[in-house]
Amino acid sequence: DTGVSQDPRHKITKRGQNVTFRCDPISEHNRLYWYRQTLGQGPEFLTYFQNEAQLEKSRLLSDRFSAERPKGSFSTLEIQRTEQGDSAMYLCASITPGTPYNEQFFGPGTRLTVL
Amino acid sequence: KNEVEQSPQNLTAQEGEFITINCSYSVGISALHWLQQHPGGGIVSLFMLSSGKKKHGRLIATINIQEKHSSLHITASHPRDSAVYICAVLIQGAQKLVFGQGTRLTINP
């Protein structure tokens, strides 16, 4: 257990539905990352926050995806109008300022299946 | 071509064998990470390298900055080492990691 938690761990939804995932980082960590990992591949960067500010978004993050970190603590990732191609593991990671070379602590992930 | 390439993609070995997983990258980096992912998804950091070599128990990681190459070695492999091993680089000037596709290691008893 790295101290980063994600909820839910598994989500099955029908195409077209909206889903929301939550990530709770380690409490003193001010930077939070979201990644997507499809089967047999490494994680791909989606977005990251420094406190409540969203500083970078990948072009992978289409307009159906939105992420928030309203108080600089937990974060949510919402996918609207889900598509089968959204099926993946969604990972969250956090780091604390001054961490050398961006050492990240990963949550267990939320596995999304879109039927 | 991906910025980070790992080889092999899959590796099966017998308990006790010496294991090597390779990672090559094509960009300037500040650091390279080796990560371990067990079934179920959780990822843990094994090593962070900016130069040279690090050792932790039976695991050894090396990096050659000039050749843009890193290796992860496991000595006296054990079935509990079975996992996906992922190489990730921190690109110079960036604040995000770029990941390889992972190497699935299976150690048979």
Side-chain angles (χ1 to χ4, degrees):
Chain A
D1 184 0
T2 63
V4 180
S5 61
Q6 292 187 244
D7 182 69
R9 296 290 306 277
H10 303 271
K11 179 70 178 178
I12 300 174
T13 191
K14 293 182 179 179
R15 189 176 53 184
Q17 298 294 306
N18 299 343
V19 294
T20 299
F21 311 140
R22 176 178 170 129
C23 171
D24 286 89
I26 295 170
S27 60
E28 63 268 26
H29 285 191
N30 67 345
R31 190 175 292 177
L32 185 150
Y33 291 79
W34 283 101
Y35 298 97
R36 182 175 70 186
Q37 185 179 25
T38 53
L39 206 59
Q41 300 298 316
E44 296 174 292
F45 169 78
L46 292 178
T47 188
Y48 87 94
F49 293 84
Q50 178 96 3
N51 299 312
E52 65 275 8
Q54 189 173 20
L55 295 188
E56 187 173 348
K57 293 194 293 186
S58 164
R59 57 184 169 79
L60 293 175
L61 214 66
S62 74
D63 56 4
R64 295 185 298 107
F65 287 71
S66 62
E68 293 183 342
R69 195 181 183 201
K71 297 181 180 178
S73 55
F74 73 92
S75 177
T76 58
L77 178 68
E78 181 184 15
I79 309 175
Q80 296 182 325
R81 305 181 303 281
T82 52
E83 301 173 355
Q84 288 185 325
D86 298 330
S87 295
M89 175 78 84
Y90 290 84
L91 293 160
C92 164
S94 68
I95 69 171
T96 197
T99 301
Y101 303 123
N102 208 306
E103 180 183 14
Q104 301 190 7
F105 294 81
F106 286 83
T110 295
R111 184 170 296 281
L112 172 66
T113 302
V114 181
L115 302 176
Chain B
K1 189 177 183 338
N2 293 337
E3 292 167 308
V4 183
E5 295 279 353
Q6 288 184 234
S7 63
Q9 288 191 291
N10 294 283
L11 179 56
T12 300
Q14 291 299 119
E15 183 173 357
E17 287 189 37
F18 181 81
I19 303 299
T20 296
I21 299 170
N22 296 300
C23 175
S24 296
Y25 52 92
S26 57
V27 293
I29 68 169
S30 302
L32 182 143
H33 299 246
W34 281 103
L35 308 164
Q36 182 189 57
Q37 185 172 33
H38 278 284
I43 293 176
V44 295
S45 177
L46 298 174
F47 294 104
M48 273 190 305
L49 296 163
S50 57
S51 64
K53 176 180 177 178
K54 287 189 176 180
K55 184 176 190 290
H56 185 254
R58 295 180 294 106
L59 273 59
I60 303 165
T62 64
I63 188 168
N64 185 318
I65 296 293
Q66 287 73 32
E67 295 187 1
K68 292 186 166 59
H69 181 268
S70 175
S71 293
L72 176 68
H73 305 286
I74 305 174
T75 62
S77 58
H78 190 276
R80 65 175 176 266
D81 297 326
S82 298
V84 175
Y85 292 84
I86 301 171
C87 168
V89 300
L90 180 63
I91 296 175
Q92 283 175 342
Q95 299 297 329
K96 63 188 182 191
L97 295 176
V98 177
F99 296 80
Q101 77 273 35
T103 294
R104 182 173 298 277
L105 175 64
T106 303
I107 304 297
N108 293 320

